[in-house]
Amino acid sequence: MSAQTYLAYDYPLLSVFWSILLFFLWIMWFVLLFRVVVDIFRDDELSGWAKAGWLAFTILLPFLGVFVYVVARGKDMGRREMSQARAQQEAFDARIREAAGVKGGTSSIDELAKLSEIRARGDITDEEFRRAKELVLTGHGPAEHTGSTARTPGH
């Protein structure tokens, strides 16, 4: 054997470590490749030809294409992903409000705050506030019942 030693082969555990590291770097590159492809299709500012060009560049020369795309358009990738996540969260929240039966996007807390303001202005009495509050808390329609019991100015 020569006097020159190779650390990775003298210590088999280190060889395994390097193999695992390279494998995970390879997997991370594939994740980045797929994120770049998704971002190409997600970007509304790119024309169809620009999308086709970027896609061909990332498929024909994958390492160089992904690198150039991340350098050239990487800053906006995060913004587009955040706006997509925000839109999905808003749609999810709207669906939850719809399933919970909250009408018009207001909750019972919002209705109670409105009733408290109406009482503070003196438009309804404490007894009317109490009855309206019970209706809100039981879920039997908040504001539509308070309108008939509200006093008009001068009465």
Side-chain angles (χ1 to χ4, degrees):
M1 184 161 218
S2 69
Q4 192 178 33
T5 59
Y6 296 102
L7 186 61
Y9 296 115
D10 287 344
Y11 300 98
L13 187 60
L14 190 57
S15 178
V16 170
F17 170 75
W18 285 114
S19 297
I20 291 173
L21 181 68
L22 288 175
F23 177 73
F24 280 113
L25 287 175
W26 185 66
I27 296 295
M28 284 179 19
W29 181 83
F30 269 112
V31 169
L32 183 61
L33 174 68
F34 289 127
R35 286 192 63 187
V36 164
V37 170
V38 167
D39 188 66
I40 289 171
F41 286 108
R42 180 183 292 159
D43 191 3
D44 292 333
E45 296 174 7
L46 285 177
S47 68
W49 287 108
K51 288 181 183 184
W54 277 112
L55 193 60
F57 189 39
T58 56
I59 289 174
L60 296 176
L61 298 170
F63 290 106
L64 184 63
V66 168
F67 178 72
V68 170
Y69 187 85
V70 169
V71 169
R73 302 182 48 82
K75 184 196 280 186
D76 292 331
M77 280 178 69
R79 290 184 190 145
R80 283 187 290 276
E81 190 165 336
M82 289 298 294
S83 67
Q84 172 81 12
R86 190 174 300 118
Q88 284 179 341
Q89 184 66 39
E90 288 171 1
F92 179 75
D93 291 344
R95 177 68 180 115
I96 294 297
R97 279 193 297 273
E98 178 185 325
V102 177
K103 298 177 183 98
T106 60
S107 66
S108 59
I109 295 172
D110 296 332
E111 293 295 331
L112 289 174
K114 289 177 187 175
L115 284 172
S116 180
E117 289 175 19
I118 293 171
R119 182 181 64 170
R121 286 193 312 245
D123 292 340
I124 59 173
T125 64
D126 287 337
E127 177 61 27
E128 291 169 335
F129 173 77
R130 186 188 59 74
R131 282 186 283 160
K133 180 175 139 183
E134 287 175 8
L135 288 173
V136 168
L137 293 177
T138 58
H140 290 304
E144 62 267 7
H145 295 292
T146 60
S148 62
T149 58
R151 294 185 301 169
T152 57
H155 286 109

